[in-house]
């Protein structure tokens, strides 16, 4: 069974940076699943933010965060990070980490239903 735990959220001002981390707990020694970050603002649907394939060789970003956010992973530590720079009030949301069940997958996925495991989320609030 795979479990995901996000950390690093908080309250920041516009223009600040924040780094989110997602740690995977499973019975295996490493992580080889495609991973993604999503967010959900109050009253809105959950939306894709960034995705990364199993070895970190491919990434994809939503247009709204491109050039500001960077997703990275450390498979040995079973950790995926999201570095967020130049934060805007529109980035305010609960951020979720997600993992796809299929291992060694070279794809990067942006659809919510492409992922099988989800964390509980971490709140990011950006004040103007």
């Amino acid at each position: 069974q795979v479990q995901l735990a996000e950390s690093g959220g908080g309250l920041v001002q516009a223009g600040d940076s924040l780094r989110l981390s997602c740690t995977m707990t499973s019975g295996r020694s490493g992580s080889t699943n495609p991973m993604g970050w999503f967010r959900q603002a109050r009253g809105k649907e959950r939306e894709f933010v960034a995705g990364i394939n199993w070895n970190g060789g491919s990434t994809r970003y939503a247009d709204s965060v491109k050039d500001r956010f960077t997703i990275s992973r450390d498979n040995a530590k079973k950790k995926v990070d999201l570095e967020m720079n130049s934060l805007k009030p529109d980035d305010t949301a609960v951020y979720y980490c997600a993992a796809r069940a299929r291992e060694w997958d070279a794809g990067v996925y942006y659809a919510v239903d492409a992922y099988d495991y989800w964390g509980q989320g971490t709140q990011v609030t950006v004040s103007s």
Side-chain angles (χ1 to χ4, degrees), residues 13-104:
Q13 293 185 333
D16 285 352
S17 298
L18 207 57
R19 188 178 187 91
L20 304 183
S21 290
C22 172
T23 301
M24 174 186 289
T25 302
S26 69
R28 294 179 288 108
S29 61
S31 168
T32 54
N33 309 74
M35 303 288 292
W37 283 97
F38 289 76
R39 67 187 181 186
Q40 188 166 17
R42 186 173 299 180
K44 295 186 177 181
E45 293 186 353
R46 191 169 299 190
E47 65 174 4
F48 171 78
V49 174
I52 189 166
N53 74 330
W54 77 271
N55 65 0
S58 295
T59 58
R60 180 183 291 184
Y61 298 91
D63 287 343
S64 59
V65 307
K66 201 172 294 183
D67 298 327
R68 297 190 298 123
F69 290 11
T70 302
I71 188 171
S72 61
R73 67 186 299 159
D74 185 329
N75 286 354
K77 295 181 179 179
K78 297 193 288 187
K79 191 163 73 82
V80 175
D81 289 345
L82 184 69
E83 180 71 30
M84 305 186 294
N85 298 315
S86 303
L87 283 162
K88 305 175 182 179
D90 285 348
D91 295 319
T92 295
V94 177
Y95 283 71
Y96 297 91
C97 173
R100 185 168 164 86
R102 183 179 176 183
E103 299 178 52
W104 311 103

